[in-house]
Amino acid sequence: MASKALISLSTLLLIHSCYSAHEHSLLTPASTSNALPLDIVIETILSVLLLCLGIVLGNKEELKPISWSVWSGMLEREKGCGQFGYLEERVGFLDIRVKRAEFAKWVKGAEEGSS
Amino acid sequence: MAILKLLLSYLSIHPSPLRNPSTTLHLSQQAPAFLSSSESTKDTQETWLIYEQLLLSCLRTGDDNSARLCLQRLSDRFGVDSARVKALTGLYDEATSNSRGELESVLQRYQDILKEDPTNMPIEKRRISLLLSLGRTEDAIKALTSLLSHSPNDAESWAHLSSLYFTQGLYQQSIFCLEEVLLILPNAYNIFARIGEVTYISASTGGNSTNQTEAFEEAIKYFARSVELSEWYLRGWYGLKLITRKLIQGKPSDGTLGKMESLNQLATEKLVQIVSKFRRNEKGWMGFDESEVLAAKDLIDQDEQKFAR
C-alpha cells in the first residue's frame, strides 16, 4: 500500500516537473540564459528517486540469492529439482509404457483406487 | 480461481511431477475436477501448461478418459497439425495400445509424418523412444545421431544419447555426449556430476591401477565442479566422498593425501548435514530423494564403523 502511494505521488511530481520545465522553456526569451531553475531540477531528481524506491518496495516476489551456487543449492534442497533437472527427466523421450508399468507396480504395493 | 491456482502452486513446488509416483497420482486425481471446472476453458498460457502436465500424469496413472479429454482440448485449441500436439497424440496412442502390432502401426505413422516433414523434432523424439521401447536400441541410437546431426544444439537429445551409450557399456562415447551438453549449458552441475559418475564406473570396471587412480582424480574434478555450482547437490557430495575415500584407502605416495582427506572431510560434513536435516523434516530440506539420502547415510555409517574398529 505504502509503495502504491509512493509511486503515485512521485509520478505526479515527475509530471509536474516536466510540465514546469516545458513552461519555463516557453516563457523565457531565447536571448537570456536557458538554464533550468534549481527547484525544477531538484523536483525532477527527487521524483525519480522516489519512483525507484516505490517500485522496489512494491516487489512482492521473493528475491533470489545473488550467487548461482546458493540459488541452485536452494532449488536442490527445497524442490529436489534444479534448473537442469529436465536433462535427466527428458520428457521428450518419455517411455510412457515403462512409466505406466512402474506406476501400476507402485499402486499394487500401496492401494488400489487410481484407475 | 481455486483449482487453477492450486495446480499451479503444486507444480511450482513439484516441478517434475513424473519423477515419483505419488506426485503423479496427486496431479492426476485433480484432473477430473479441473476438466469440469469453469477455469479449464480459460485461454491462458498457464492453462495449457497444466493441460499438458495433466495429460502426462493421467497417461501414467492409467486415467485414459481424462487424458483423452485433455488431448481433445489441446488439439481443438492448437490444431491437430501442431508438432507438439501430434507428439502428444502419439504418446497417448503408445500408452493405450495393447499389442506389439498396434505399437508397430504407431511407429509406421511416425515414419509417415517424418517423411513429409523430416525435421519434426517432437515426432522424431517419439519415434526414437518407441524404437527403444520395442527393444531396437541400435536403430534408436542411429536415429538419435541423425537427429543430432541436423540439430546439434539440443541438450536433451545429447543427454539421452549419452544414457543410451551408457546402457550399452560405451562409456567413452557416453562421456563425449555429456561434454557436448556442457558446451551448450556450461552451468549444468548435474551433468558435471554425471560425467564424474560415468568416469568412475568405467574406471572401476576395467583398466589397471595407475590408470584407475588417474581416472578417479579426473572424476573428483567433475564432482568438485558440480558442488561448486550447486552447494547442496547430494549426488555431487556423495561421489566426492566415495572416490576420495577410495583414494585414501589406496594410500597415495605423492602429496595428494592431505588434499584428499580435506575433501573427504568437507563432503562428509555436507552429507551429515543433509541427512540430519532431512530426517528431522526441516523446512526447506525436504526436496531430496529419500533413497538417495539413505544411500548417503549408509556411506557415512560405513566410515564410522571403520573408525570404531
Side-chain angles (χ1 to χ4, degrees), chain B residues 196-209:
Chain B
E197 285 167 7
V198 179
T199 311
Y200 171 71
I201 291 168
S202 90
S204 320
T205 48
N208 55 42
S209 66

Side-chain angles (χ1 to χ4, degrees), chain A residues 68-104 106-107 111 113-115, chain B residues 12-13 16 18-19 21-22 25 59-61 64 94-95 103 125-126 129 133 144 155-156 159-160 163 185 187-191 228-233 235 284-288:
Chain A
W68 172 282
S69 79
V70 175
W71 179 50
S72 55
M74 197 183 82
L75 288 181
E76 275 300 324
R77 62 181 164 82
E78 284 180 355
K79 300 178 180 174
C81 178
Q83 61 275 50
F84 299 111
Y86 72 95
L87 288 176
E88 285 171 88
E89 199 178 350
R90 298 190 291 267
V91 177
F93 292 102
L94 184 72
D95 190 343
I96 192 71
R97 295 191 308 134
V98 170
K99 284 274 179 196
R100 253 166 112 95
E102 201 183 277
F103 184 81
W106 179 78
V107 169
E111 27 122 39
S114 65
S115 60
Chain B
S12 81
I13 301 168
S16 53
L18 287 182
R19 228 170 28 162
S22 56
L25 181 61
L59 277 183
R60 187 175 175 193
T61 56
D64 293 340
E94 278 176 52
L103 283 176
K125 289 185 175 178
R126 287 310 326 146
S129 36
S133 186
L144 197 47
E156 191 189 24
H160 197 61
S163 80
L185 302 163
N187 281 343
Y189 53 88
N190 50 357
I191 298 300
E228 189 184 8
L229 287 168
S230 172
E231 59 174 355
W232 294 110
Y233 192 48
R235 271 170 54 199
W285 293 81
M286 296 313 292
F288 295 110

